[in-house]
Amino acid sequence: MSIEIMGLLLILLIYLVISQWFLKRKLHIKEVRKSILSGYRKKRYVYTEFLLFILLFVSTFYMIEDLGAFSFLPLFMFFLLTNVLRGIEEWIENRSEKGYYHDWLSSVAFLIIIIFLLIV
């Protein structure tokens, strides 16, 4: 296996151990599932997430030739920013349940993946 695949699998394994074993089982923090179409979300978060999706589409469409080997960057940045936004939303709306830890852990995992792939 190449070093990229091994590194990504190691990052995924560390993320799963922290998320599933530590946050869910040890700290009993439930993960809150959200989507852009969830009915209970406030409009400002939905609009911001929709704007991020539009920016992903535009950046992928216009910059795909310029990015070359870094064509993964817009998609991973979208996932990173979406998880940060959802973490902030959960932190503001339901701070006591601490579900934002899962979103922020996902953001950190995507940031580490981006940095790893840019270095390697």
Side-chain angles (χ1 to χ4, degrees):
M1 269 194 215
S2 67
I3 191 155
E4 294 92 3
I5 295 174
M6 292 295 289
L8 291 175
L9 287 176
L10 180 65
I11 294 168
L12 178 66
L13 179 69
I14 292 170
Y15 166 76
L16 288 175
V17 165
I18 294 172
S19 174
Q20 299 299 314
W21 182 75
F22 185 69
L23 291 179
K24 279 188 177 179
R25 296 210 176 23
K26 290 291 182 186
L27 298 179
H28 304 291
I29 298 174
K30 294 181 182 177
E31 185 175 6
V32 179
R33 298 284 182 167
K34 294 182 205 136
S35 72
I36 196 166
L37 301 175
S38 297
Y40 60 89
R41 293 181 70 190
K42 293 192 176 181
K43 297 288 184 199
R44 63 179 173 247
Y45 301 116
V46 173
Y47 292 150
T48 307
E49 196 166 324
F50 187 69
L51 178 67
L52 285 174
F53 182 73
I54 297 292
L55 288 172
L56 166 73
F57 181 74
V58 169
S59 66
T60 303
F61 185 70
Y62 286 111
M63 295 175 28
I64 195 74
E65 293 175 0
D66 297 335
L67 291 174
F70 301 113
S71 60
F72 65 89
L73 200 56
L75 184 63
F76 280 20
M77 286 300 294
F78 170 72
F79 289 142
L80 172 80
L81 293 174
T82 302
N83 282 319
V84 167
L85 174 69
R86 290 179 182 177
I88 291 171
E89 175 186 0
E90 192 67 27
W91 182 64
I92 291 172
E93 303 298 326
N94 299 322
R95 190 176 297 185
S96 62
E97 295 179 17
K98 298 181 182 178
Y100 52 88
Y101 285 157
H102 288 282
D103 293 318
W104 288 349
L105 178 64
S106 298
S107 300
V108 169
F110 276 113
L111 182 64
I112 291 171
I113 288 172
I114 289 169
I115 292 170
F116 176 75
L117 289 176
L118 287 175
I119 290 173
V120 174

